[in-house]
Amino acid sequence: MSWSCALDVHLVDGTYELFRHYYALPSARDENGREVAAVRGVLKSVLGMIRGGATHVGVATDHVIESFRNGLWPGYKTGEGIEPNLLAQFELLEEVLSAAGVVVWPMVEFEADDALATAAAIAAQDARVERVIICTPDKDLAQCVRGTRVVQQNRRTRVTLDAAAIVSKFGVSPASIPDYLALVGDAADGYPGLPGWGAKSSAAVLAKFAHLESIPADWREWRVNAANASTLAHTLLNERDRALLFRTLATLRTDITLFDEVNELRWQDPKAGFDELGARLDAAVTETTRHAGSRFPARATSRSTR
């Protein structure tokens, strides 16, 4: 099938959206007493995108929170502490979106972020695609941004970041984001980075050298504006293996088998059974209270702080 004009591909972080709606919406329970407010909110949001003109959409979810990264670093994030009423909605969300005709990628060995990165890489190879829009504020996905063609969008704040905006925000290019996270750490994902390496010093060094391997061991060769450069160089020298491990944790996979070509992401009409699911969600009784707190606050508000 061919298109008469260029198209946009929208890739949605379903995990982020579920967390965000869970903590933003009042509780709602179906006839069986099951919490469904977040699922109902995400479904409305995704279908709103489609009504607004999105034609090619893929949603990635963390079917389980753990991934292969947990075997690499013992402190990596797990599902521990996530509220059961939130965790129980992941499978329902996948079922409902699929029934609505939306392509869904439930991740088990990998993470939703890996699926988004892979999907972006595949879609960007198609000359018919004008833009790939990765819908998440998660700073991990900043590494996938390419010029103005592959961008990152925070649907809550309606802010879209291209490569120039990523450089302006973090001080490094998208290609250096995994190195940057390796140095500064990512508390939400459970790895600490290197002592003393803050956002400013990491950005200053990586803006010049791009990757960990290119940073000279002798700080006098850096010639960048970084406080306590000699101490930073000593730390990097002594903890280089750990920094490289953290970069592996931060580097998103782009080799997952998801789809062959972007036409597979074209939204289809709802499947049989969707009306019944939709009616069940519509009939859920809304309560007046909202959920308080969050196991991963950045997921519930803005994972750009991750």
Side-chain angles (χ1 to χ4, degrees):
M1 178 177 180
S2 61
W3 293 276
S4 59
C5 59
L7 60 95
D8 289 344
V9 173
H10 291 79
L11 305 174
V12 181
D13 184 344
T15 295
Y16 164 74
E17 291 292 338
L18 196 64
F19 270 80
R20 177 167 76 92
H21 284 86
Y22 182 78
Y23 290 102
L25 298 175
S27 172
R29 296 183 179 274
D30 65 12
E31 59 185 7
N32 298 317
R34 184 179 184 181
E35 179 64 47
V36 297
V39 169
R40 192 163 64 178
V42 177
L43 175 64
K44 180 180 179 181
S45 177
V46 172
L47 291 181
M49 289 177 59
I50 294 170
R51 286 193 297 270
T55 58
H56 294 69
V57 180
V59 180
T61 64
D62 291 294
H63 190 70
V64 297
I65 301 300
E66 291 76 10
S67 71
F68 75 94
R69 292 178 176 86
N70 292 89
L72 299 176
W73 178 251
Y76 200 74
K77 66 183 178 187
T78 68
E80 182 181 358
I82 298 179
E83 295 187 32
N85 282 332
L86 169 56
L87 200 59
Q89 291 186 72
F90 276 84
E91 187 171 348
L92 178 60
L93 176 65
E94 294 156 5
E95 178 186 4
V96 169
L97 287 176
S98 180
V102 178
V103 173
V104 182
W105 302 302
M107 292 292 103
V108 176
E109 178 185 356
F110 303 101
E111 298 179 38
D113 289 354
D114 295 308
L116 295 172
T118 295
I122 297 172
Q125 294 174 5
D126 194 319
R128 299 168 297 183
V129 175
E130 182 172 5
R131 282 198 313 169
V132 179
I133 304 168
I134 306 172
C135 302
T136 179
D138 188 346
K139 61 189 176 187
D140 290 359
L141 272 300
Q143 66 191 266
C144 301
V145 173
R146 298 291 182 269
T148 59
R149 189 159 178 263
V150 181
V151 299
Q152 184 176 8
Q153 183 180 87
N154 185 332
R155 296 186 63 233
R156 183 179 65 85
T157 62
R158 300 183 180 180
V159 172
T160 299
L161 303 178
D162 59 13
I166 294 297
V167 173
S168 178
K169 180 175 182 178
F170 296 104
V172 300
S173 69
S176 294
I177 289 294
D179 302 83
Y180 173 85
L181 294 175
L183 293 176
V184 303
D186 192 334
D189 279 348
Y191 58 92
L194 301 190
W197 282 86
K200 290 184 178 179
S201 58
S202 298
V205 175
L206 289 172
K208 182 173 182 179
F209 299 107
H211 300 295
L212 299 176
E213 297 91 339
S214 301
I215 301 174
D218 187 344
W219 65 272
R220 288 166 294 191
E221 298 179 28
W222 291 3
R223 295 183 175 86
V224 299
N225 185 19
N228 302 313
S230 61
T231 301
L232 295 179
H234 181 73
T235 299
L236 181 58
L237 180 64
N238 288 340
E239 300 196 30
R240 182 172 294 271
D241 288 345
R242 177 173 282 200
L244 293 174
L245 171 59
F246 293 158
R247 187 177 64 181
T248 297
L249 297 178
T251 300
L252 299 180
R253 297 284 294 269
T254 58
D255 58 349
I256 305 171
T257 301
L258 295 178
F259 60 96
D260 294 321
E261 58 101 15
V262 293
N263 192 41
E264 297 175 44
L265 305 186
R266 178 179 281 276
W267 178 71
Q268 304 296 322
D269 291 332
K271 301 175 183 177
F274 175 70
D275 288 343
E276 181 181 348
L277 278 172
R280 188 174 113 206
L281 293 178
D282 288 340
V285 177
T286 302
E287 302 176 5
T288 58
T289 58
R290 292 174 182 262
H291 301 284
S294 169
R295 169 63 178 86
F296 299 118
R299 288 181 184 268
T301 54
S302 173
R303 278 166 66 189
S304 60
T305 59
R306 283 182 53 184

